Amino acid sequence: AEDAMSRSKEGSNPSSTTMDVTMKIEQMQEQNADVFAIPDYFVYMSRAFSTLEGIGLSSDPNYSILNECYPYLAKRLLSDDSPRARGALRTLLYGKGDELDLSKLQELTDGLESYTTSTSSVESSRGESDEGRSAALEQLADVVLSEDSNYVQDLLIR
């Protein structure tokens, strides 16, 4: 997904990041057909997202449905304690190495703020109120400064 998103930022032609990701997964399946198969629901979901992204690209060449979903993903990664979400959060913040990527941490907190702002109130989503931003800061502080140890703290302190 990151590869597809970076390519869409570089080029001037509209490019569907969803289609790029789907094609990459299909290539992986073809190369490893004995290891995994793409579930039917994934095919339907990717078609739906590709259609939505195509509509967005028709009016804005820089549109990316992955970027539109990122605020929700940020909220989910910071609040979901499942092993799968933990792995995704660790990969996002550290990549393949052992050094925290501060720019990814900033993107994650910006995404949380965007999600909270857009879902807290109409005034906040229009920029007429700081209610959403305050709520996001409070949520982030609750996670990072919690007396009970949590996975986000463990990742940041490493």
Side-chain angles (χ1 to χ4, degrees), residues 6-106:
S6 67
R7 281 186 282 124
S8 71
K9 290 176 185 175
E10 293 169 2
S12 58
N13 294 337
S15 173
S16 171
T17 54
T18 306
M19 188 59 72
D20 291 341
V21 169
T22 302
M23 288 185 342
K24 186 76 164 175
I25 291 172
E26 288 174 356
Q27 287 173 352
M28 289 171 48
Q29 181 194 6
E30 287 173 12
Q31 294 169 352
N32 304 295
D34 56 329
V35 179
F36 76 97
I38 298 173
D40 290 339
Y41 70 86
F42 179 84
V43 174
Y44 298 131
M45 294 285 292
S46 66
R47 285 181 184 164
F49 273 76
S50 294
T51 301
L52 292 172
E53 189 165 59
I55 293 168
L57 285 168
S58 68
S59 63
D60 178 1
N62 296 317
Y63 181 82
S64 169
I65 198 160
L66 294 176
N67 287 337
E68 295 298 322
C69 294
Y70 191 77
Y72 170 77
L73 178 64
K75 167 73 173 165
R76 182 75 187 261
L77 288 176
L78 290 170
S79 61
D80 187 342
D81 201 34
S82 71
R84 191 168 157 191
R86 285 180 170 201
L89 180 60
R90 191 214 177 283
T91 300
L92 176 68
L93 294 177
Y94 285 89
K96 295 179 182 174
D98 290 327
E99 190 171 316
L100 177 65
D101 185 338
L102 294 177
S103 66
K104 294 293 184 186
L105 180 60
Q106 181 66 49

